[in-house]
Amino acid sequence: MSTQNLRHLPSVEKVLTALGELDSPPRPTVVALVRDHVENMREELLAGAAPLPFGQAVERIRETILAFARQRIQPVINGTGIMIHTNLGRSPIQKGVMDAVSAVAGGYSNLELDLNTGERGSRGAFLERNLATLCKAEAATVVNNCASALVLILRELANGERNEVIIGRNQLVEIGGGFRVPEIMETSGARLREVGATNKVSVDDYRNAISEKTAMILRVHRSNFYMEGFVEEPTTAELVALAREFGLPIVEDLGSGAMVATDQLAPLDHEPTTAEVLADDVDLVCVSGDKLFGGPQAGIIAGKRELIATLKKNPFFRALRCDKMVLTALQESACAYLDASHSGATPDLPLIAMLTADRYLLKERAAKIIEATGNHPSIRCGDGTARCGGGTMPKSEIPSVTIDIAPMAEQSSLPQLMKKLRDGTPPVIGYVTENVLKLDLRTIPTELDSVLSDALKDALN
Ligand SMILES: *Cc1c(COP(=O)(O)O)cnc(C)c1O
């Protein structure tokens, strides 16, 4: 123990004065962080560490506070070309939708008031009817996300003596962010009854697993990977026929939530829509609100009226209910889809604008952005490949246009340049291939072009 060393321990007040005013985080948090730091320094000094000069200690503390401040959730420029990027908040939400959210959330609303009678009303009744229309379902409802939709369905349909859920071994998938179908099923109290092999599952595999303990058949969409080669599996229609034969419910976790034919928008695979799955007479289908649907984080459940009604009566439903902001955002997004389909147009949602953006126009934007940087010698226009991301259509690649930055050796290294761009306001996120930093314009909205050229100038000069 070298208590002697403690002479060199700066006081919290002295450090705070030396730090001066910081824009973020709020002062009480700065004070708490400095206290933690000084406490750590005390322990290090007691353990015999060499004392740091005061100025150096302050600079070290300043860096950790600034690094902490950068964790504040804020807008970033997504130059990755990945449209539904889970690390970057998945789907952007349409501006008009956000205006409606802001109006509802910033004041009072008829969330649970029936304006026709003046009595208590049902939360989301308007939304549910519109979602059902959009999904071509008898009924629909909404919970926090697709994972909780699946848990709710399993808790309601698979419990007690009949709690076995039959699922093909080719669908025991991990969706990302630690969402593993087998684990989710276990937390709900359901028992997994796996059938078939990883690559081959037949209708008879399902049939042979049915017993008096069977609660339901579950299909999980392989959204984030694909299988090729010696593979075989029953069609949805075949499994529906089997479920009917035994009077069992059949549910599909579809995940990605495409509401329009993706293959007609862009050179993409066809992602099954909720309407298609329900046309095969599946009882319930659940999807995410913030993937291809292009809305807020939510889990949309659509299907048979009776089943939706029982789900809504489950006590657990209350624990998963969405707030007014999410419900409003979903409501306005669903209406945008329905209005567009009525007039034969593509819905005006940011995700769809990105998917359909014309490459020629992206090239023009690239030229203007580069010109605005003063035709910086390190910057060129390049080709790129955009992707859906968010665990959807992993095979689909959309040809795109990039701003390519190859810093000259004496300027800075690529990792340094990326850090500089991340440190800017707003932060800019790109990707590296073959020693070039690429910023894909497909995922960058046009109105940010001048912000982007300014960020590039700042980072390169
Ligand atoms: C993404 C996905 C989920 C998880 O959805 P969240 O809304 O993030 O909970 C579940 N199932 C499938 C098939 C998915 O693709």
Side-chain angles (χ1 to χ4, degrees):
M1 282 286 184
S2 31
T3 40
Q4 268 284 79
N5 258 349
L6 287 184
R7 286 182 292 126
H8 302 283
L9 188 70
S11 77
V12 171
E13 286 67 33
K14 240 183 104 184
V15 173
L16 283 169
T17 312
L19 280 174
E21 287 299 319
L22 301 171
D23 290 339
S24 168
R27 198 66 177 174
T29 308
V30 173
V31 174
L33 290 171
V34 170
R35 278 217 179 95
D36 286 354
H37 245 281
V38 171
E39 190 47 43
N40 285 346
M41 285 168 80
R42 177 199 305 280
E43 275 161 28
E44 279 168 24
L45 289 173
L46 282 174
L52 264 189
F54 178 72
Q56 269 182 41
V58 170
E59 281 327 296
R60 211 198 250 180
I61 295 174
R62 184 191 305 281
E63 266 164 41
T64 54
I65 292 177
L66 292 179
F68 172 75
R70 266 179 231 117
Q71 295 180 9
R72 191 172 194 143
I73 297 178
Q74 58 190 296
V76 306
I77 293 185
N78 173 13
T80 65
I82 297 170
M83 287 170 260
I84 308 169
H85 199 306
T86 300
N87 298 359
L88 304 182
R90 287 198 180 163
S91 232
I93 300 178
Q94 191 211 43
K95 167 116 185 7
V97 169
M98 287 319 294
D99 289 346
V101 172
S102 163
V104 165
Y108 297 103
S109 64
N110 58 337
L111 183 66
E112 284 191 10
L113 175 75
D114 184 338
L115 291 174
N116 297 303
T117 59
E119 309 277 313
R120 180 162 178 183
S122 130
R123 178 183 283 245
F126 180 85
L127 165 64
E128 288 177 348
R129 192 73 199 87
N130 281 297
L131 278 177
T133 309
L134 180 60
C135 299
K136 298 200 168 62
E138 287 175 17
T141 194
V142 170
V143 289
N144 275 333
N145 51 29
C146 191
S148 56
L150 187 56
V151 173
L152 175 67
I153 292 169
L154 293 170
R155 284 176 79 112
E156 177 60 38
L157 298 181
N159 55 54
E161 297 286 290
R162 287 172 83 106
N163 70 344
E164 276 190 9
V165 176
I166 304 181
I167 182 169
R169 288 207 167 84
N170 56 355
Q171 297 181 344
L172 290 173
V173 303
E174 172 168 327
I175 305 297
F179 178 91
R180 287 194 170 157
V181 170
E183 287 165 16
I184 284 283
M185 290 183 59
E186 249 143 63
T187 55
S188 76
R191 274 181 53 99
L192 204 64
R193 184 75 170 81
E194 306 169 24
V195 298
T198 307
N199 58 329
K200 286 192 91 169
V201 186
S202 69
V203 184
D204 280 340
D205 291 325
Y206 282 87
R207 177 187 295 277
N208 294 338
I210 296 176
S211 72
E212 69 282 2
K213 291 195 198 126
T214 307
M216 60 183 268
I217 295 175
L218 178 66
R219 283 175 49 90
V220 179
H221 181 51
R222 281 190 295 273
S223 8
N224 57 359
F225 70 107
Y226 53 94
M227 288 169 81
E228 252 172 353
F230 193 51
V231 293
E232 185 186 305
E233 65 181 332
T235 63
T236 307
E238 285 171 322
L239 284 185
V240 170
L242 181 70
R244 293 290 167 269
E245 187 183 328
F246 288 88
L248 294 170
I250 174 164
V251 173
E252 178 142 352
D253 172 10
L254 193 53
S256 45
M259 294 289 150
V260 293
T262 45
D263 49 338
Q264 283 169 24
L265 294 175
L268 291 170
D269 285 337
H270 179 80
E271 186 72 0
T273 65
T274 40
E276 284 162 6
V277 171
L278 292 172
D280 273 333
D281 212 25
V282 164
D283 293 297
L284 288 175
V285 54
C286 56
V287 298
S288 286
D290 55 356
K291 291 187 185 168
L292 283 170
F293 185 84
Q297 179 188 301
I300 300 167
I301 312 173
K304 297 278 156 67
R305 183 172 289 118
E306 268 166 69
L307 286 176
I308 297 285
T310 38
L311 288 179
K312 290 180 69 178
K313 281 193 212 110
N314 188 304
F316 200 56
F317 180 75
R318 173 64 180 77
L320 304 175
R321 84 174 182 194
C322 300
D323 78 323
K324 57 188 173 187
M325 293 191 275
V326 167
L327 293 178
T328 308
L330 276 177
Q331 164 188 294
E332 296 307 310
S333 310
C335 289
Y337 273 109
L338 291 168
D339 288 339
S341 80
H342 180 60
S343 57
T346 39
D348 168 29
L349 297 169
L351 199 66
I352 294 190
M354 282 185 228
L355 283 169
T356 54
D358 184 86
R359 251 174 99 206
Y360 179 73
L361 293 178
L362 294 181
K363 276 227 162 83
E364 277 187 356
R365 282 175 56 201
K368 283 196 191 127
I369 293 167
I370 294 170
E371 199 185 306
T373 63
N375 290 313
H376 196 286
S378 300
I379 308 182
R380 285 195 165 49
C381 174
D383 293 318
T385 305
R387 286 191 167 74
C388 271
T392 63
M393 295 182 279
K395 269 202 293 193
S396 298
E397 298 183 338
I398 307 177
S400 198
V401 174
T402 54
I403 302 275
D404 289 4
I405 311 144
M408 282 161 288
E410 70 275 16
Q411 270 179 344
S412 61
S413 69
L414 274 179
Q416 271 173 332
L417 179 65
M418 291 175 86
K419 174 87 172 73
K420 269 195 201 160
L421 284 168
R422 282 200 309 274
D423 278 351
T425 313
V428 178
I429 319 291
Y431 68 98
V432 172
T433 40
E434 291 165 19
N435 285 321
V436 176
L437 170 59
K438 284 178 161 291
L439 300 171
D440 193 313
L441 289 184
R442 193 174 288 278
T443 44
I444 301 177
T446 314
E447 59 270 23
L448 291 180
D449 285 357
S450 62
V451 179
L452 178 61
S453 53
D454 288 347
L456 287 173
K457 273 193 283 184
D458 281 353
L460 284 168
N461 297 324

